[in-house]
Amino acid sequence: YAWAEKVGWDLRAHTLIWGGSESWQMPGWTLLPSLPAEELYNACETHIRRETNYYKGIIREYDVINEPVHETWLADKVGDSTTWKA
């Protein structure tokens, strides 16, 4: 960050959450069929808020959900509104 700041670059982050169902896209515990959709939604929201608040003023732009058009597992599980609200 110090170097980017020194040369005048804004930082951009990729990605806060993924839409897919692979263990490299989402934490393993989120993939459990027994996890209620509301709990998964809340965990995603908490993660997004925590990261953006922590890096506020440092990271200027985020890819919040990666590839939501063809990686639809998350939207299928918790509802498409998660894409729009994120």
Side-chain angles (χ1 to χ4, degrees), residues 16-21 25-26 30-31 35 37 40-45 48 64-66 68 71-83 86:
L16 291 173
I17 57 176
W18 288 69
S21 64
Q25 295 172 313
M26 296 289 282
T30 67
L31 305 174
L35 181 67
L40 175 57
Y41 180 92
N42 291 339
C44 289
E45 182 178 8
I48 291 167
V64 179
I65 300 180
N66 193 50
E71 293 285 357
T72 63
W73 173 82
L74 182 61
D76 294 343
K77 174 90 176 176
V78 301
D80 192 44
S81 68
T82 191
T83 302

Side-chain angles (χ1 to χ4, degrees), residues 24-66:
W24 55 270
Q25 295 172 313
M26 296 289 282
W29 65 269
T30 67
L31 305 174
L32 298 174
S34 61
L35 181 67
E38 183 178 2
E39 192 173 328
L40 175 57
Y41 180 92
N42 291 339
C44 289
E45 182 178 8
T46 297
H47 175 70
I48 291 167
R49 289 184 188 279
R50 182 185 64 230
E51 297 302 307
T52 56
N53 284 326
Y54 184 83
Y55 292 104
K56 189 175 185 173
I58 296 171
I59 295 177
R60 308 267 185 225
E61 183 178 308
Y62 290 87
D63 290 334
V64 179
I65 300 180
N66 193 50

